[in-house]
Amino acid sequence: MIAADELATWFAAQQEVVRLEHVSITYPAGDGGAVRALNDVCAALHAGEMVGIFGPSGCGKTTMLMAAGLLEPPTSGVVRFGAASAADFSTEGRIRDFRRRNIGFVFQKPNLIPYLTATENVALAMIVDGMPVIDASRRAVGLLEALDVAHRAENFPAQLSGGEQQRVAVARALANEPALVLADEPTAALDSRRGRQVMELLLGIAHDRKAAVAVVTHDPRSVDLFDRVLEMEDGRIVGERRPAMATGLA
Amino acid sequence: MNFLAWRDIRVNLMRFLLAAAGVGFLLTGCIGIIGLYRGIVHDALLTIDAIGADLWVVQGGRAGPFAEGSAVSATLDRRVEGIAGARHVRRFVQNNLQFRINGRVLRIAVTGLDFPKDRGEWLALSDGRMIQAARREVIADASLGLPLGDVLRLGRDEYRVVGITSGLVDMSGDGMLFATIPDAADIADTKPSEAVLLDRAQGLGPMADRPSRISAVILSVAPGADAAEVARQIAAWGDVGVLTADQEREVLVNSRLWRLRLQILFFAILLLTVTCVVISMTMYNSTVEKLHQIAMLKLIGARDSFILSMILQQALLIGVAAYVMAFGLAQLLFPYFPRHVELQPADLVMIFGGMLLACLLGSWFGIARALRVGAKEVLA
């Protein structure tokens, strides 16, 4: 069994953060049949790159993200984090320990806890990892400063704009310095200017913090920011392009 | 203190306070009903404890005079005095009667003192003096609301209140009024004129309305004498029974009061069950409201213990706040209740324990629901 801490150290030294090897995910359908959401997907995410996952609705983009984020176990195939496969995490508790220290999530909705301030929302990710509240709060303020939303540190989510809420959500995703950041439609609820800002923020995380960032999106407006783009269709990856080529997807 | 539990309470303070108030009122009821039972037992044992007699000589085959009726000869005390080892032999009689005094209906436990052997020395007077005359003087408990020096008409005669006691009531909560045994008999056996005339018409003498029976004879045992031997000798007569003070207490608590005891136990269990249900509902609803947040917590890697402690600590905080409120209300309200409500530390500890148990059971439903939530439900 490989400990989450050891893997975090391993990530720091390796380029490849996560690899999906022939991953398929099948759900039972209402008529007694089965729906194959992912079909033999092979992909890898590397430290320091931001990868865009594009495709029509229902093509399996979010399911792929869930597989990479250990939220959905593959029906077949393997999700590898360095030397370890997801199957090595024998319990839900171990999966959560790993996720807490190595994976950050950003969603279309910020999913902030309404009765916590911006600082507390960010600090929460560190508090559940055992960090004392005072230390976590201090670090959370630092992250909010880095994301240019420190002036809202003591405000509750309802007092923040959509863009500010999303920045707080990004700060929370970065709280434990994850090697992998998974974002599912993070700009869908934002106007184009704020959406662009969030995408640039994620790009900065990939390039400056050397995290692997995967972004599921329908929005082609920021496609030029991605280092790599994966195109999906019917649960499969049907294309892989560099940004210049991907721009044509629009 | 769990970070989230505290923040949730801070922001949803009104919901927390309302839940605590609901549980608090239930706990107040629970404390009250157990306190009422303790008060009834306390009141029931008051006379036995205050008189301080070692033995009670009662009607044969009966467990009187409190647990059931008892009538013995009014001259039984003279026989008992003849037993070696018996001392301070006194007659005892007690009747619960109802009178209209100063426009108020008063229920009174009229208790006879065997004057002049017993002037009420064993009574703790809060005002006035003991009985000094064989007739027409009474000592009244403060709960009757009769002022010192007041003259009452009880039956055919008038009686002057010469002393006041405090907190002396019988098992029914009726305040005690102490008179000499002949006066107590007069007060109890008052008959309307027509009834006296009818007795006379039937050839019954003028003393036909005079009682020849009392409730019991009480005695203390001389130093060095064996109480069991004295009791054995008296019981050997066959026409009377002998109970020790401990047996009187046991008969009262385990015989006369056992149904009440059982009923109060059921009520207490019922109230604690309702408390448990209220806490369960509160915690379950509160958890269901937070399912998305709980999924988010799991997504960011929060352990089950963190989520569990959040729910459990909120439930316990509701319980503790409710208990503090219930304790305060009990101290504030119960002294004004018509019956004595006795709060015993052991009962308060037991209710606190029951409340903690109710919180644990109540939060279980919320915890069970929270543990079923998957992290991927954030995407739902």
Side-chain angles (χ1 to χ4, degrees):
Chain A
M1 194 65 62
I2 296 175
D5 295 348
E6 290 171 28
L7 277 171
T9 312
W10 186 90
F11 282 142
Q14 301 294 322
Q15 280 291 303
E16 189 176 284
V17 174
V18 60
R19 170 176 289 276
L20 279 67
E21 292 177 359
H22 304 288
V23 169
S24 294
I25 292 180
T26 305
Y27 297 114
D31 59 2
V35 175
R36 181 164 280 198
L38 277 191
N39 191 356
D40 197 31
V41 167
C42 294
L45 299 174
H46 299 90
E49 71 167 352
M50 181 162 83
V51 177
I53 303 170
F54 282 75
S57 288
C59 71
K61 304 186 295 291
T62 298
T63 309
M64 182 177 158
L65 218 62
M66 285 164 69
L70 299 177
L71 294 173
E72 193 67 63
T75 310
S76 64
V78 179
V79 179
R80 287 194 182 281
F81 294 90
S85 92
D88 292 339
F89 302 114
S90 53
T91 63
E92 169 67 18
R94 285 179 184 278
I95 290 173
R96 265 188 245 167
D97 285 347
F98 180 82
R99 211 161 45 213
R100 184 172 63 243
R101 291 174 191 168
N102 298 293
I103 307 175
F105 292 89
V106 182
F107 299 100
Q108 177 181 339
K109 286 192 286 183
N111 289 310
L112 300 176
I113 294 180
Y115 51 84
L116 299 184
T117 63
T119 303
E120 289 167 343
N121 263 291
V122 177
L124 181 63
M126 294 172 268
I127 290 166
V128 298
D129 196 33
M131 189 182 285
V133 174
I134 292 175
D135 296 345
S137 299
R138 194 177 301 132
R139 195 170 134 63
V141 171
L143 279 166
L144 291 172
E145 277 170 3
L147 294 171
D148 202 21
V149 72
H151 61 290
R152 294 298 216 169
E154 294 311 311
N155 288 115
F156 289 97
Q159 299 167 315
L160 306 179
S161 70
E164 287 168 337
Q165 286 187 31
Q166 199 61 296
R167 281 170 180 270
V168 174
V170 172
R172 180 179 60 192
L174 299 179
N176 290 321
E177 298 181 336
L180 176 63
V181 175
L182 302 172
D184 189 10
E185 306 273 11
T187 61
L190 303 177
D191 60 40
S192 58
R193 187 176 61 83
R194 288 204 172 87
R196 178 89 186 174
Q197 284 174 348
V198 169
M199 294 302 277
E200 285 172 352
L201 206 62
L202 291 170
L203 185 65
I205 291 162
H207 290 177
D208 302 340
R209 294 172 186 254
K210 300 299 175 202
V213 178
V215 181
V216 164
T217 182
H218 278 102
D219 184 3
R221 287 173 294 187
S222 303
V223 75
D224 57 300
L225 296 175
F226 291 111
D227 297 309
R228 196 155 54 100
V229 167
L230 303 176
E231 294 171 51
M232 290 191 73
E233 229 177 80
D234 298 330
R236 290 174 179 275
I237 295 175
V238 294
E240 180 174 337
R241 303 179 186 199
R242 294 290 159 182
M245 295 166 68
T247 310
L249 287 170
Chain B
M1 183 72 204
N2 183 285
F3 176 75
L4 276 186
W6 178 242
R7 295 300 189 283
D8 187 22
I9 289 171
R10 188 186 64 179
V11 172
N12 296 303
L13 190 61
M14 188 50 72
R15 185 178 63 186
F16 172 80
L17 290 178
L18 286 174
V23 175
F25 282 120
L26 287 167
L27 285 178
T28 308
C30 205
I31 290 173
I33 204 155
I34 292 175
L36 182 64
Y37 167 72
R38 295 292 184 198
I40 288 171
V41 171
H42 173 264
D43 292 348
L45 300 179
L46 254 180
T47 315
I48 299 171
D49 291 338
I51 286 179
D54 295 324
L55 298 173
W56 291 70
V57 184
V58 300
Q59 185 178 342
R62 293 280 175 84
F66 303 108
E68 55 180 331
S70 167
V72 295
S73 163
T75 57
L76 179 65
D77 57 319
R78 292 174 200 163
R79 285 164 64 194
V80 175
E81 278 171 339
I83 296 288
R87 66 167 194 161
H88 297 318
V89 179
R90 290 166 283 164
R91 293 175 293 170
F92 177 84
V93 65
Q94 191 174 67
N95 294 296
N96 290 76
L97 303 167
Q98 186 168 303
F99 297 96
R100 178 173 286 276
I101 299 172
N102 300 330
R104 282 190 306 144
V105 173
L106 269 186
R107 284 195 56 80
I108 304 175
V110 180
T111 307
L113 296 177
D114 198 357
F115 188 87
K117 286 187 282 187
D118 184 356
R119 298 166 184 265
E121 295 88 342
W122 51 279
L123 299 172
L125 297 182
S126 60
D127 202 359
R129 58 170 173 80
M130 288 173 283
I131 288 176
Q132 291 176 349
R135 306 303 298 257
R136 312 292 180 250
E137 285 190 352
V138 293
I139 296 170
D141 188 70
S143 61
L144 293 170
L146 302 171
L148 188 68
D150 199 14
V151 176
L152 318 169
R153 184 162 190 89
L154 302 172
R156 288 188 296 268
D157 302 304
E158 291 186 332
Y159 300 86
R160 180 176 296 280
V161 178
V162 297
I164 301 289
T165 60
S166 177
L168 277 182
V169 294
D170 77 341
M171 195 181 351
S172 318
D174 297 342
M176 287 195 193
L177 183 121
F178 299 90
T180 61
I181 286 197
D183 282 349
D186 279 351
I187 294 167
D189 296 331
T190 302
K191 290 181 179 176
S193 304
E194 289 76 8
V196 174
L197 286 173
L198 277 174
D199 283 346
R200 286 177 184 163
Q202 288 171 20
L204 298 171
M207 296 300 285
D209 57 341
R210 306 295 298 178
S212 57
R213 306 191 72 77
I214 54 170
S215 301
V217 168
I218 54 178
L219 65 138
S220 302
V221 174
D226 181 6
E229 176 56 23
V230 173
R232 193 194 60 74
Q233 285 187 44
I234 297 172
W237 296 338
D239 62 329
V240 293
V242 184
L243 296 171
T244 63
D246 284 341
Q247 284 171 328
E248 280 284 359
R249 286 190 197 94
E250 195 184 317
V251 163
L252 259 182
V253 174
N254 294 333
S255 175
R256 179 82 186 267
L257 295 176
W258 79 269
R259 277 197 190 86
L260 182 70
R261 200 178 192 176
L262 210 61
Q263 191 155 321
I264 281 171
L265 177 70
F266 288 152
F267 267 121
I269 290 172
L270 189 69
L271 280 172
L272 277 176
T273 307
V274 175
T275 305
C276 190
V277 170
V278 169
I279 294 175
S280 300
M281 276 171 53
T282 305
M283 296 319 298
Y284 187 80
N285 288 338
S286 157
T287 306
V288 167
E289 275 176 25
K290 288 201 280 273
L291 284 183
H292 194 74
Q293 294 158 28
I294 289 168
M296 188 66 213
L297 283 171
K298 290 187 176 183
L299 186 86
I300 63 174
R303 293 186 183 94
D304 283 343
S305 58
F306 183 86
I307 296 161
L308 188 144
S309 77
M310 174 181 76
I311 296 169
L312 198 57
Q313 285 185 22
Q314 281 192 347
L316 289 174
L317 272 176
I318 287 173
V320 170
Y323 186 84
V324 169
M325 177 192 146
F327 184 76
L329 275 179
Q331 300 287 344
L332 205 67
L333 296 179
F334 292 164
Y336 298 101
F337 275 29
R339 286 300 304 261
H340 172 53
V341 180
E342 186 166 307
L343 304 180
Q344 292 190 355
D347 291 337
L348 292 172
V349 169
M350 187 194 72
I351 291 169
F352 186 75
M355 179 276 298
L356 290 181
L357 192 66
C359 287
L360 289 175
L361 290 174
S363 57
W364 183 83
F365 294 99
I367 289 169
R369 183 69 187 90
L371 294 183
R372 285 204 304 274
V373 176
K376 64 182 177 185
E377 288 180 37
V378 172
L379 298 168

